[in-house]
């Protein structure tokens, strides 16, 4: 059996821990198609937060308390940059993490595509799933704030998603192509899962790559709601949905995917009705791996 998963960073990584465990018990192969809209260049380094969150988490090298980055991280380089007054000061770049960005940037500069760079980094981390960036081209999410484009990282971390925002744009998406292996993974999957990731800034930039959304239509696609009881559980997805004028409900988020979903998995306490989509209830709190495996089981059975 083959499973393809569309995923963002931290929520995607937690979900993939469950998918990987389910797959190990069912002799299934997993391909994760990962958002690159958060990617950013800082101090000349190419940083891919969602790919790295998944790589570190599945590779057992993530910081579980902070929620992002490496376990046992130190911040010497960040301190030294601050001593030079070399901004931005709002972006956390750990010493161990920087090594990943150095290797990635060196390879990208030499002309190696991001998908091949990701495979190379994963030789170390052995995540147990095939990780593909949605695209090898640059697609960067920007918030449009009072007519000005603000990179997603700046909007999210520096401004805490709290400045007046008209819309989001995925710069570069129109010219992007699915990375090698993405369309094959979707075409050969027995089931495609949409992780309970941020619908606006994690899943939408994947769907914005021409060809990906089309490849989902008519397939068996099961989405898992990132919204439980009208709240985004962790993080600030509510602020992103507000920009779109979309209510913070499982039903409204499922509606964003209605054109390709076969089934929409929502929490036991929620209700939703989406035309043409089967709605199924299950506990959706990813409290630990066992709970997440049960979610995956429910999704695969939809
Ligand atoms: P990011 O790229 O690091 O922001 O991570 P993702 O976009 O992959 O995931 C963030 C989303 O995960 C948040 O918007 C939450 O709505 C969702 N989320 C986090 N924890 C849980 C959970 O336990 N259950 C469900 N259903 N969703 C969750
Ligand atoms: Ca992200």
């Amino acid at each position: 059996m083959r499973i393809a998963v569309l995923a963002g960073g931290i929520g995607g990584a937690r979900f993939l821990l469950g998918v990987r465990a389910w797959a190990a018990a069912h002799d299934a192969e997993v391909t994760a198609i990962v958002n690159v809209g958060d990617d950013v260049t800082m101090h000349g380094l190419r940083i891919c937060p969602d790919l790295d969150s998944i790589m570190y988490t599945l590779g057992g090298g993530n910081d579980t308390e902070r929620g992002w980055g490496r376990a046992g991280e130190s911040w010497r380089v960040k301190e030294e940059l601050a001593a030079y007054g070399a901004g931005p000061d709002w972006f956390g770049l750990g010493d161990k993490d920087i090594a990943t960005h150095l290797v990635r940037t060196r390879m990208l500069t030499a002309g190696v595509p991001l998908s091949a760079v990701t495979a190379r980094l994963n030789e170390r981390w052995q995540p147990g799933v095939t990780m593909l960036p949605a695209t090898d081209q640059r697609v960067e999410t920007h918030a449009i704030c009072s007519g000005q484009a603000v990179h997603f990282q700046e909007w999210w971390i520096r401004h805490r998603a709290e400045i007046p925002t008209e819309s989001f744009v995925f710069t570069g998406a129109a010219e992007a192509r699915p990375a090698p292996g993405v369309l094959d993974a979707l075409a050969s999957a027995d089931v495609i899962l949409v992780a309970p990731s941020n619908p606006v800034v994690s899943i939408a930039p994947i769907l914005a790559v021409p060809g990906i959304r089309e490849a989902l239509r008519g397939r068996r696609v099961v989405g898992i709601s990132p919204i439980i009881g009208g709240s985004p559980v962790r993080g600030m997805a509510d602020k992103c949905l507000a920009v779109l004028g979309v209510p913070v409900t499982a039903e409204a988020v499922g509606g964003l995917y209605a054109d390709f979903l076969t089934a929409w998995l929502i929490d036991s306490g929620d209700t939703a009705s989406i035309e043409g989509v089967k709605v199924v209830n299950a506990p959706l709190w990813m409290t630990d791996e066992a709970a997440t495996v049960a979610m995956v089981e429910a999704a695969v059975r939809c």
Side-chain angles (χ1 to χ4, degrees), residues 90 143 145 150-165 236 239:
W90 45 266
C145 307
V150 178
H151 191 284
F152 172 72
Q153 294 295 348
E154 187 170 357
W155 185 80
W156 187 252
I157 299 169
R158 183 180 185 190
H159 299 296
R160 317 267 336 138
E162 268 164 3
I163 48 174
T165 306
M236 309 186 284
K239 293 182 180 166

Side-chain angles (χ1 to χ4, degrees), residues 7-10 13 32-36 38-39 47-58 100 104 114-115 117-119 121-122 125 127 131-136:
I10 295 167
I33 298 165
V34 182
N35 174 41
V36 296
D38 294 15
D39 294 9
I47 301 167
C48 302
D50 287 0
L51 284 166
D52 288 348
S53 289
I54 293 175
M55 181 171 81
Y56 295 153
T57 301
L58 297 188
T100 304
R104 174 187 292 124
L114 181 61
S115 50
V117 173
T118 302
L121 294 172
N122 276 328
W125 291 101
M131 278 174 59
L132 302 174
T135 177
D136 277 337

